[in-house]
Amino acid sequence: MSTEKQSEEAIVSETEHAGGKAEEPAEDQAIFSVKSMLWHGGSAWDAWFSCASNQVAQVLLTLPYSFSQLGMLSGIVFQIFYGLMGSWTAYLISVLYVEYRSRKEKEGVSFKNHVIQWFEVLDGLLGPYWKAVGLAFNCTFLLFGSVIQLIGCASNIYYINDHLDKRTWTYIFGACCATTVFIPSFHNYRIWSFLGLGMTTYTAWYMTIASIVHGQVEGVQHSGPKKLVLYFTGATNILYTFGGHAVTVEIMHAMWKPRKFKHIYLMATLYVFTLTLPSATAVYWAFGDQLLNHSNAFSLLPRNRWRDAAVVLMLIHQFITFGFACTPLYFVWEKVIGMHDTKSICLRALARLPVVIPIWFLAIIFPFFGPINSAVGALLVTFTVYVIPSLAHMLTYRKPAARQNAAEKPPFFMPSWTAMYAVNTFIVIWVLVIGFGFGGWASVTNFVKQVDTFGLFAKCYQCKPPAPAHPIVAPPHH
């Protein structure tokens, strides 16, 4: 039997969910068990739904804003470019996970009741310094990813009910999203991932059709790109769009056969293109430069029952995405306080609550929806999603013995290890110069401008000003 086959069988035999019980593909359970069907997911399809659902959440509504900054052609090119680049680095992460797990299992290490995370992979393959770097970037990225979902919830619901300001809605949705502490692990997102992808599919095609039916606004202008700051801010927002694999390792670990993951992220990205490209193109075609001052596309689309349905569906999906982003943070916190092996869901939920509080607070401090996306993309996603996986892959297989005994060989379309090194080097240089360098400069400049304009703790960011009250005319003096 080949080493690769033995490794795969070892991984399958050890796969478990966070509740602690070994999870096999439903052989010991009733085939049509409702609990199994809706709650315990570990198939390749579950992973695909999780990746696709997690990739396009609130950012779907900011892509037209990015197109207004970039222009139509650059917007389309950057989406395809960063989508493929993101799929490649997700593949690298999956390879490194399999390598780490196969090495540890040869040493007799068991992962029962333990969810492997990205920083542990880096620690096992490259040492404690890489663990510290991976942990810092990943946790900060997930923290602000969760913040963005809360800001998005408040921004969206405001377009249905503006009787409360966005800051008050943030308080309310912070409390609602805190209930994700009761969802044990990614095994338990089966029905949520399925529903979430359906919701974003509806919203994307609603945006596309509504924009075409609405037609172009009078005097529409498509003047982008106009300024370098705006151009690189928009590019970085798209970099962020296809950088949703801070949870890749956790999704893989929830699979019955993690080796099947390696092509799943690419398949998810190709489906996401069918949502993001038509919707962003159509909305930008219809509204043009108006989007420069409207980072949420809902603010320009005409209000009717179709738009309200899209808003409600996106709200539910943001709750799901909040859980996706927070769950790895819950795992890290559980490991820090020694609660990760606890089987009681209620006890674990109570232990997780301190993670939600700073997220809630940050969403109230920085309610700048579009700009915070770009800032997170430039300063965090660049390293978490692109630079660190590429460097880690090159360093893990730098020695001939490591390449010879690799659990995963280069894919069929890569002729050699040299070609893989060339691709990885290109990604590191491109992302450091364009994404982190120019993108960081542009995003931070734009973010500071928003803080100066609206101030911290803004009560209602980018809200319509209240209608002026009719002045009381004093009676004439006689």
Side-chain angles (χ1 to χ4, degrees):
M1 186 183 294
S2 68
T3 305
E4 184 173 320
K5 185 68 177 176
Q6 287 175 337
S7 174
E8 181 170 355
E9 289 184 355
I11 289 176
V12 174
S13 67
E14 275 287 340
T15 304
E16 74 290 333
H17 64 84
K21 189 169 66 176
E23 185 72 30
E24 291 294 339
E27 289 179 3
D28 299 324
Q29 303 173 5
I31 293 175
F32 295 106
S33 161
V34 173
K35 185 178 179 182
S36 174
M37 211 164 69
L38 303 181
W39 188 247
H40 290 151
S43 67
W45 278 107
D46 288 308
W48 183 84
F49 277 115
S50 292
C51 289
S53 176
N54 186 49
Q55 201 171 120
V56 281
Q58 186 65 24
V59 77
L60 184 70
L61 305 175
T62 66
L63 284 174
Y65 167 67
S66 299
F67 270 47
S68 70
Q69 297 170 318
L70 287 164
M72 188 78 80
L73 178 61
S74 290
I76 293 171
V77 170
F78 270 119
Q79 274 206 46
I80 295 171
F81 177 65
Y82 282 133
L84 296 177
M85 187 185 289
S87 298
W88 174 255
T89 53
Y91 166 75
L92 297 181
I93 291 172
S94 73
V95 168
L96 293 172
Y97 168 88
V98 171
E99 182 69 39
Y100 166 76
R101 187 156 183 174
S102 62
R103 287 186 188 182
K104 287 297 179 183
E105 284 169 349
K106 286 176 184 175
E107 297 170 6
V109 177
S110 172
F111 294 104
K112 202 164 189 175
N113 296 336
H114 183 92
V115 176
I116 298 173
Q117 294 188 266
W118 176 228
F119 68 89
E120 293 168 317
V121 173
L122 292 173
D123 184 26
L125 296 177
L126 297 172
Y129 291 111
W130 278 85
K131 172 187 176 180
V133 170
L135 186 61
F137 275 104
N138 225 41
C139 288
T140 311
F141 169 39
L142 290 168
L143 180 77
F144 278 98
S146 304
V147 168
I148 288 166
Q149 298 312 313
L150 273 190
I151 296 171
C153 284
S155 178
N156 287 346
I157 192 66
Y158 183 79
Y159 297 119
I160 290 183
N161 185 336
D162 58 6
H163 297 300
L164 298 176
D165 58 76
K166 291 181 181 179
R167 189 168 65 194
T168 304
W169 280 120
T170 304
Y171 293 139
I172 294 169
F173 278 99
C176 294
C177 289
T179 59
T180 57
V181 296
F182 289 99
I183 302 176
S185 77
F186 284 100
H187 270 293
N188 312 117
Y189 274 96
R190 165 173 278 185
I191 187 63
W192 295 114
S193 298
F194 177 77
L195 291 175
L197 190 58
M199 291 165 188
T200 49
T201 300
Y202 170 87
T203 303
W205 285 106
Y206 154 73
M207 290 166 62
T208 305
I209 295 167
S211 299
I212 294 170
V213 170
H214 179 276
Q216 292 185 311
V217 295
E218 187 177 350
V220 66
Q221 289 186 321
H222 300 89
S223 56
K226 291 174 73 175
K227 298 178 181 177
L228 276 179
V229 169
L230 294 179
Y231 187 84
F232 285 108
T233 301
T236 310
N237 189 37
I238 295 179
L239 180 86
Y240 172 79
T241 303
F242 295 97
H245 32 301
V247 295
T248 298
V249 170
E250 289 83 358
I251 292 173
M252 278 189 75
H253 191 81
M255 293 178 68
W256 295 315
K257 296 182 180 181
R259 279 182 180 271
K260 290 188 175 182
F261 182 87
K262 53 190 173 185
H263 304 304
I264 285 173
Y265 200 91
L266 175 61
M267 297 300 106
T269 300
L270 294 177
Y271 179 78
V272 166
F273 283 154
T274 70
L275 307 182
T276 57
L277 288 169
S279 60
T281 302
V283 176
Y284 179 54
W285 169 82
F287 298 100
D289 289 353
Q290 286 188 20
L291 286 157
L292 288 169
N293 297 314
H294 295 83
S295 54
N296 189 325
F298 281 149
S299 63
L300 291 174
L301 292 166
R303 180 168 184 179
N304 51 41
R305 59 182 180 173
W306 301 106
R307 194 201 73 166
D308 288 353
V311 171
V312 171
L313 291 178
M314 282 304 293
L315 284 171
I316 300 170
H317 185 258
Q318 280 164 306
F319 166 82
I320 298 166
T321 308
F322 182 93
F324 264 107
C326 260
T327 299
L329 293 176
Y330 295 152
F331 291 156
V332 172
W333 179 245
E334 287 170 0
K335 291 170 185 176
V336 168
I337 63 173
M339 295 285 288
H340 190 57
D341 294 336
T342 304
K343 294 184 179 181
S344 168
I345 291 177
C346 292
L347 201 58
R348 289 179 73 187
L350 192 63
R352 290 172 169 188
L353 277 176
V355 176
V356 180
I357 294 168
I359 293 169
W360 205 352
F361 189 59
L362 286 167
I364 294 164
I365 298 177
F366 304 113
F368 315 123
F369 185 51
I372 200 172
N373 274 8
S374 299
V376 170
L379 304 179
L380 297 172
V381 175
T382 47
F383 287 94
T384 303
V385 170
Y386 300 97
V387 174
I388 292 176
S390 300
L391 287 176
H393 188 272
M394 288 193 285
L395 290 174
T396 299
Y397 297 108
R398 66 189 181 279
K399 295 180 180 177
R403 295 193 292 272
Q404 186 176 354
N405 299 316
E408 288 280 349
K409 303 299 182 186
F412 69 92
F413 54 85
M414 279 287 166
S416 65
W417 285 97
T418 304
M420 291 196 74
Y421 269 72
V423 172
N424 291 343
T425 302
F426 168 78
I427 290 172
V428 171
I429 294 171
W430 175 276
V431 172
L432 285 177
V433 174
I434 303 298
F436 179 71
F438 287 102
W441 160 73
S443 300
V444 171
T445 302
N446 192 30
F447 188 80
V448 171
K449 180 184 174 185
Q450 302 302 317
V451 173
D452 290 341
T453 305
F454 294 95
L456 301 177
F457 297 97
K459 192 172 184 179
C460 211
Y461 173 68
Q462 287 191 344
C463 296
K464 292 179 181 178
H470 295 291
I472 300 173
V473 180
H477 293 285
H478 295 288

